[in-house]
Amino acid sequence: MTTPEPQPSSPQPSEPVSKDRAYRSPAGIAGGVLVLALALWLGIDALVAGDGRTPWAAAAALLFLVPLVAAYTVRPAVYANDDRMRVRNPFRVIVLPWAQVESFRSGYSNEVFTEGGDKYQLWSIPVSLRGRKKAARREDRRAAGQGGQRRGLFGGAGSLEDGPVRAETDKVMDELRDLLEARKAAKTSQGEVTVRWAYEILVPVLVGGVALAVLLATG
């Protein structure tokens, strides 16, 4: 009598990973693209048509300026899911599990504070004082009964706005606070804060800056 061979146990389905929500600054990206286009146009023209030391200075300036402009305009982003948030700032990437986040604060900039007392600025979610003033005026008009009802797509009456009128970046911070409150105690939200320096930005900026300084000093 033969004993049946043990069958391999079926793999347990892994817990689904929630999709990241991305928060970026459209105005910052648009401005950065325009500045980068102008810098590349002028730099390439100097490389092609320049003489003497001009092409070398143009190459060093491009190596210095292009990563620097991209770091402050196109690169910043905040990604958040049910387990953690990832903050991509100009020169660092910070991964913060929700269990390690203590609070968010909004003043002249939006910031996240960790349980260990560290503070990180959210570059991709800039505070708009103009947006806050505009939202406050809309809220005042609504409270006075002047702007509570919106016009529909074809001129008909729309629905009333729910809740107080908020600036767009303040709405984003409200979403992050709600996510923190809902997920801080979750098992999948545990872990340590990690910080990685963006050497792909720092190295060319440093090399280009040193080369440009040497060329200008010896010119």
Side-chain angles (χ1 to χ4, degrees), residues 2-6:
T2 59
T3 57
E5 295 182 359

Short mmCIF file of all heavy atoms in Angstrom, two decimals, residues 2-6:
data_model
loop_
_atom_site.label_atom_id
_atom_site.label_comp_id
_atom_site.label_asym_id
_atom_site.label_seq_id
_atom_site.Cartn_x
_atom_site.Cartn_y
_atom_site.Cartn_z
N THR A 2 0.67 2.06 -0.96
CA THR A 2 1.49 3.26 -1.10
C THR A 2 0.80 4.43 -0.43
O THR A 2 -0.42 4.56 -0.47
CB THR A 2 1.74 3.58 -2.58
OG1 THR A 2 0.49 3.78 -3.22
CG2 THR A 2 2.49 2.44 -3.25
N THR A 3 1.62 5.27 0.18
CA THR A 3 1.06 6.48 0.81
C THR A 3 1.03 7.60 -0.21
O THR A 3 1.96 7.76 -1.00
CB THR A 3 1.94 6.90 2.00
OG1 THR A 3 3.26 7.11 1.53
CG2 THR A 3 1.93 5.84 3.07
N PRO A 4 -0.03 8.34 -0.26
CA PRO A 4 -0.11 9.43 -1.25
C PRO A 4 0.92 10.51 -0.95
O PRO A 4 1.22 10.81 0.20
CB PRO A 4 -1.54 9.97 -1.07
CG PRO A 4 -1.91 9.58 0.33
CD PRO A 4 -1.22 8.28 0.59
N GLU A 5 1.49 11.03 -2.02
CA GLU A 5 2.47 12.10 -1.87
C GLU A 5 1.77 13.37 -1.39
O GLU A 5 0.67 13.68 -1.83
CB GLU A 5 3.17 12.38 -3.19
CG GLU A 5 4.01 11.21 -3.68
CD GLU A 5 4.72 11.56 -4.96
OE1 GLU A 5 4.52 12.70 -5.44
OE2 GLU A 5 5.45 10.71 -5.48
N PRO A 6 2.40 14.07 -0.47
CA PRO A 6 1.77 15.30 0.01
C PRO A 6 1.70 16.35 -1.09
O PRO A 6 2.64 16.56 -1.84
CB PRO A 6 2.71 15.76 1.14
CG PRO A 6 4.02 15.12 0.84
CD PRO A 6 3.70 13.81 0.18
#
